[in-house]
Amino acid sequence: MNLTKREDVLKLSGLVVARDYKTSIKIIENWLAKNPFDHNAMSEFKGNKDPNKKKKYSGSPQNVYADKLLPILKACTSEQPKKELYKLYNGKGKINGITLFSDGNAKLKFLNWSTMPKVNCGGAGSCLTFCYSMKALRQPNVNARWIANGILENESFEIIEDALRWNLSRPKYNFGSKRVDFRLYNDGDFQNLEKMIAWFDILNKFPELQSYAYSKSLHLFKNFIDTYGDVNIPDNFVLNLSSGVHPIYKPLKKVLSQYDFVRGEF
């Protein structure tokens, strides 16, 4: 498996989502053994004007997999994974050097949470052929965030909640009565009902958030409503019915559109 190739990164992430941490560790260790970082390699950055500039180890695939992700995965194989994961969490929104929430970019300025696309998108259909998130798979640090966030959704929503609380305490978001825009799953989607419930519990604890999601996991929303009722959808959550949904779930768009928490189709 080549961890610089998009499809192989997705396969690794799929194993992580399935909680097959031991196989994931073995794959990473094998790849690192075959692909040591070349500290003498010259930089191939397009904007590089220095012919003697060498590649940086920081941010390289080797750095991301060896120093950032491996310790997190190994913590998950311990007898007390939650306890070991907390040892790696710095209390300020990062786990083992990986920033969990993003502030967006110059175009999209909002607090957001993401996981690995495709492997977490159970309701996806035609969008899998044109997903814009696939382009970001070339960036090791982005992959690290997506994989780490997927691990935390498996093992410790408590760390996610702590990281969200810390972010909301920052001057950037701590501005009194004004609502904070929060996009849940800028990349990725609700992976199962258990994780949806966990997120809704968190949103209920932070009424200052104005949260929304573009989701194709329409079957999970239908399951949630059938089990708990639409009255238990958080008041500060809005659903945008995303395009590209799997054909089998398309009829659910009409079903869900009747509910107040649904803004419409996009």
Side-chain angles (χ1 to χ4, degrees), residues 26 52 68 70 77 83 108 122-123 135 152 167 212 230:
K26 191 176 295 183
N52 298 313
K68 296 184 178 182
L70 264 185
T77 65
K83 180 179 179 180
L108 303 171
K135 295 180 180 179
L152 291 178
N167 271 283
Y212 64 100
D230 64 295

Side-chain angles (χ1 to χ4, degrees), residues 24-242:
S24 302
I25 290 169
K26 191 176 295 183
I27 287 170
I28 291 174
E29 289 179 338
N30 287 342
W31 183 81
L32 288 168
K34 295 176 182 178
N35 299 274
F37 184 79
D38 184 358
H39 290 274
N40 293 313
M42 306 308 294
S43 174
E44 297 175 356
F45 176 58
K46 291 181 180 179
N48 178 28
K49 298 180 180 180
D50 182 0
N52 298 313
K53 188 174 183 179
K54 294 182 179 180
K55 282 186 176 180
K56 290 183 178 180
Y57 178 73
S58 178
S60 67
Q62 289 85 353
N63 169 229
V64 165
Y65 286 112
D67 304 320
K68 296 184 178 182
L69 284 176
L70 264 185
I72 298 174
L73 287 166
K74 289 179 178 179
C76 294
T77 65
S78 68
E79 292 184 358
Q80 296 180 298
K82 194 171 293 187
K83 180 179 179 180
E84 295 304 312
L85 286 169
Y86 256 108
K87 289 179 181 178
L88 297 172
Y89 178 62
N90 73 343
K92 296 183 178 181
K94 291 185 178 183
I95 187 165
N96 206 35
I98 299 172
T99 301
L100 303 178
F101 287 84
S102 171
D103 292 327
N105 52 41
K107 183 179 179 181
L108 303 171
K109 296 180 180 179
F110 47 76
L111 185 65
N112 65 84
W113 172 270
S114 293
T115 55
M116 184 66 68
K118 191 171 183 178
V119 298
N120 285 295
C121 302
S126 61
C127 62
L128 294 175
T129 62
F130 59 80
C131 178
Y132 75 93
S133 298
M134 292 294 105
K135 295 180 180 179
L137 284 169
R138 296 173 294 182
Q139 303 175 39
N141 280 319
V142 173
N143 294 338
R145 175 186 295 142
W146 288 346
I147 293 174
N149 285 354
I151 291 171
L152 291 178
E153 286 195 344
N154 280 349
E155 306 299 334
S156 181
F157 262 91
E158 293 87 349
I159 290 178
I160 295 173
E161 182 178 332
D162 285 352
L164 178 57
R165 182 176 292 105
W166 178 82
N167 271 283
L168 292 176
S169 72
R170 296 160 54 202
K172 182 180 181 72
Y173 298 113
N174 187 13
F175 35 54
S177 60
K178 188 176 178 181
R179 287 286 187 98
V180 177
D181 289 330
F182 172 54
R183 180 167 174 178
L184 184 50
Y185 297 115
N186 193 40
D187 306 280
D189 205 341
F190 293 100
Q191 203 256 332
N192 58 38
L193 189 59
E194 179 185 6
K195 294 175 183 178
M196 176 178 282
I197 292 169
W199 267 115
F200 285 172
D201 285 344
I202 287 177
L203 295 181
N204 280 323
K205 294 176 182 178
F206 296 94
E208 66 268 39
L209 290 177
Q210 183 58 59
S211 59
Y212 64 100
Y214 289 84
S215 179
K216 302 172 186 67
S217 297
L218 308 187
H219 56 300
L220 297 181
F221 283 94
K222 180 65 165 57
N223 289 345
F224 183 94
I225 292 169
D226 288 346
T227 305
Y228 304 102
D230 64 295
V231 294
N232 286 305
I233 300 287
D235 292 336
N236 57 346
F237 176 80
V238 173
L239 172 63
N240 297 322
L241 303 172
S242 189

